[in-house]
Amino acid sequence: MSFESRASNFLGISVRLLCLLCLLILSGSACADTEYYQHILFDNSLETDAYYYSAGKVSSPSSLELDHGKLPVSKTVFYTPPNALRLKWRSAPDGGWEASIRAIDFRNRQISFRGDVLYFWCFSEEGIPASNLPLIQLSDANREFSKPLKLGSFVKDLAAGKWVQVQIPLREFKTGSLHSFQPDRTDKVVFVQDTADAADHTLIIDEIKIDDAAESSTTASEAISKLPAPRNLSAESYERHIDIRWDPIDAPELERYMRETLAAGGLQNSFAALDRTLLIPAIDLDRAQRVVFGRDGLRDVPISDAVAASSAIPGFFEPYMVRGRDYVDGGVGFSGHADLAAEAGADVVIVVNPLVPSPDGGVVPLRNRGLYSIMEQAGRIYSQNLLLLGLSTLRVKHPRTEFHLIQPSRDDTPMGGPSMGFEASRAALHFGYESTKEWLAGQGTKLLRRLLTEPRFA
């Protein structure tokens, strides 16, 4: 067999095992709900003055209220707290205006909405006749767009001081661009001047989403309804903020998901039934010790239970109990667990770390993006430093083992957005596969040639 053929076979096996390793490391992130990004286009603004993911333009004598080119935020009138968007305009003859609201954008996000109806809530303090409402238009991630529709065709005259939910079937948005407009890839909602009545109007807009007609309800953020309901919810108000507390989510649903997924794919749920060694680490909460499912006395634990135990992220899930012991996320105090491979006698260990700190905040500092963004960045800094320190220690402790680290630069991270989601897990797995393949074809070529000369790969 030629070197190229053997290298291809070896690479295929290595990369498949690498993807499985990435999946297990990131399984806690994968189980986090991503329904939000498949339905919600806008629910609130992190910035208190103007919405970052908006834009507007106007030509005189029409007018459109903007704050540094963006739509202002309504902090006192909203459908769901803490805010909404304020669309204030005057449509004059020979003038024009348009205001756009786009989907939240982060690196490697794949725009894919699920649903057949566009919903949003609107409110007018004085009331607006349907004939004086603006046009509405959609554009997709490929920059194709729909023909504009009269908003007044889908909502009656807006009564003063009353919230109204607008419902527009996506089939109503016909293609207006050269190529086909794809509603499921909508990334922007655009309001455009229509009737030139030369009067001032203000429309408060909130909770923009795409959902199925049968699935929608009048409650806010329906897209997250599939999450388990919080238990023992309490709130305590302070001068500048409110603390909300609830009990963590049970982990059995994750175990059931893993068990059913393995069965559906015809895969084994038993360590003993596997042809290759699989090790899944977790932390014994009370003993403050790492345990490894798949070896020693934990080899007969079902894989689905091991994954649930290893993915019980503190604060997100309750500790997962196996045989009377409580376990939490295997990443607590550890990063990568490369020592397990070295202790098992591996000559070469390739560690892939896609979760590096996010790039410099730039125009919008991370502190202005909310508590989650700050915690996300802090966690990435901690994880990366822990990994680097751990690998340095392992190189001294296991001098016969080669450790190679593959990770992107901060500017090229494939996980620029939240790491708690299926999109993030897919991005991590894709990076693990492609970056390892590229590394072995370039910098790792000598290593690959050396490994393929060994009898076990010949």
Side-chain angles (χ1 to χ4, degrees):
M1 183 182 292
S2 68
F3 168 76
E4 288 76 10
S5 299
R6 287 184 290 142
S8 177
N9 292 337
F10 176 81
L11 178 58
I13 295 173
S14 300
V15 171
R16 284 195 294 273
L17 291 175
L18 174 64
C19 287
L20 177 59
L21 176 62
C22 288
L23 177 62
L24 294 174
I25 291 173
L26 294 166
S27 56
S29 298
C31 67
D33 196 279
T34 58
E35 289 286 309
Y36 179 93
Y37 291 110
Q38 295 175 341
H39 294 283
I40 300 296
L41 198 141
F42 169 83
D43 64 353
N44 63 75
S45 172
L46 294 178
E47 292 77 32
T48 58
D49 297 321
Y51 184 48
Y52 180 76
Y53 295 100
S54 71
K57 56 185 178 181
V58 60
S59 58
S60 183
S62 294
S63 65
L64 176 67
E65 182 184 17
L66 296 171
D67 186 338
H68 295 86
K70 300 185 181 299
L71 289 179
V73 171
S74 171
K75 293 174 284 188
T76 57
V77 181
F78 43 75
Y79 182 71
T80 56
N83 52 45
L85 299 179
R86 184 169 67 249
L87 182 62
K88 183 176 181 179
W89 75 89
R90 172 181 288 184
S91 298
D94 301 322
W97 62 265
E98 72 172 45
S100 61
I101 304 158
R102 72 180 191 273
I104 294 175
D105 182 29
F106 49 82
R107 189 183 298 271
N108 289 320
R109 178 184 178 182
Q110 298 296 320
I111 300 291
S112 180
F113 283 101
R114 287 170 31 188
D116 52 20
V117 179
L118 172 69
Y119 297 91
F120 61 90
W121 288 89
C122 56
F123 174 94
S124 173
E125 188 70 38
E126 298 81 14
I128 305 175
S131 59
N132 291 336
L133 290 171
L135 302 172
I136 185 170
Q137 187 178 26
L138 303 181
S139 69
D140 64 25
N142 295 326
R143 298 186 178 181
E144 310 301 338
F145 52 87
S146 71
K147 295 178 180 178
L149 299 174
K150 284 184 173 291
L151 185 56
S153 299
F154 301 93
V155 60
K156 299 179 180 179
D157 296 348
L158 291 181
K162 182 179 180 180
W163 281 99
V164 175
Q165 188 181 42
V166 179
Q167 306 179 23
I168 307 177
L170 292 181
R171 65 176 179 272
E172 298 291 337
F173 292 96
K174 309 301 182 183
T175 298
S177 52
L178 181 62
H179 301 289
S180 295
F181 163 69
Q182 301 179 50
D184 62 318
R185 302 204 66 206
T186 294
D187 75 340
K188 189 183 299 182
V189 176
V190 184
F191 295 95
V192 184
Q193 172 174 317
D194 189 12
T195 304
D197 61 348
D200 290 329
H201 299 289
T202 301
L203 189 66
I204 306 300
I205 300 172
D206 205 353
E207 289 287 316
I208 305 174
K209 67 178 181 179
I210 292 176
D211 209 338
D212 294 326
E215 296 293 329
S216 180
S217 70
T218 56
T219 58
S221 298
E222 174 69 14
I224 60 172
S225 64
K226 295 183 180 179
L227 285 173
R231 297 172 301 169
N232 297 326
L233 183 66
S234 65
E236 187 173 355
S237 63
Y238 294 87
E239 182 179 357
R240 296 176 62 88
H241 72 281
I242 298 175
D243 276 351
I244 301 177
R245 299 182 179 88
W246 63 89
D247 290 346
I249 301 170
D250 288 330
E253 285 300 305
L254 172 60
E255 186 281 327
R256 179 182 62 81
Y257 170 80
M258 288 301 303
R259 174 166 30 88
E260 293 178 354
T261 300
L262 291 172
L267 302 175
Q268 296 290 341
N269 194 23
S270 167
F271 288 99
L274 300 179
D275 295 330
R276 297 178 180 274
T277 301
L278 173 63
L279 303 176
I280 301 178
I283 304 299
D284 186 312
L285 183 61
D286 294 304
R287 293 173 177 166
Q289 296 176 343
R290 182 181 69 177
V291 301
V292 182
F293 294 98
R295 73 178 189 187
D296 304 327
L298 297 174
R299 183 170 169 78
D300 58 342
V301 173
I303 294 174
S304 57
D305 278 311
V307 171
S310 181
S311 304
I313 304 172
F316 287 88
F317 294 94
E318 288 185 347
Y320 189 76
M321 183 173 289
V322 177
R323 297 177 179 172
R325 305 298 307 178
D326 285 326
Y327 297 100
V328 295
D329 181 13
V332 175
F334 291 83
S335 184
H337 299 278
D339 60 309
L340 296 179
E343 290 172 359
D347 297 317
V348 178
V349 177
I350 299 176
V351 179
V352 180
N353 175 37
L355 198 63
V356 298
S358 299
D360 189 290
V363 178
V364 182
L366 286 171
R367 66 173 296 167
N368 292 345
R369 300 181 187 178
L371 179 61
Y372 184 89
S373 294
I374 297 172
M375 294 178 63
E376 173 88 15
Q377 182 77 333
R380 293 185 181 205
I381 294 171
Y382 170 79
S383 177
Q384 185 184 46
N385 289 338
L386 185 64
L387 176 61
L388 295 176
L389 179 62
L391 289 178
S392 297
T393 303
L394 289 177
R395 289 187 177 102
V396 175
K397 186 177 180 180
H398 301 278
R400 62 172 295 277
T401 302
E402 295 182 32
F403 294 91
H404 299 276
L405 175 62
I406 301 175
Q407 64 180 4
S409 67
R410 290 181 59 186
D411 291 330
D412 294 327
T413 173
M415 303 171 68
S419 61
M420 297 293 293
F422 281 105
E423 289 91 348
S425 296
R426 280 195 291 264
L429 292 171
H430 179 76
F431 174 81
Y433 181 91
E434 294 296 335
S435 63
T436 302
K437 188 166 64 172
E438 180 181 346
W439 185 84
L440 289 173
Q443 184 180 347
T445 300
K446 291 183 178 180
L447 169 65
L448 187 58
R449 287 183 177 275
R450 177 163 56 83
L451 292 175
L452 291 174
T453 60
E454 296 184 10
R456 52 181 167 168
F457 294 122

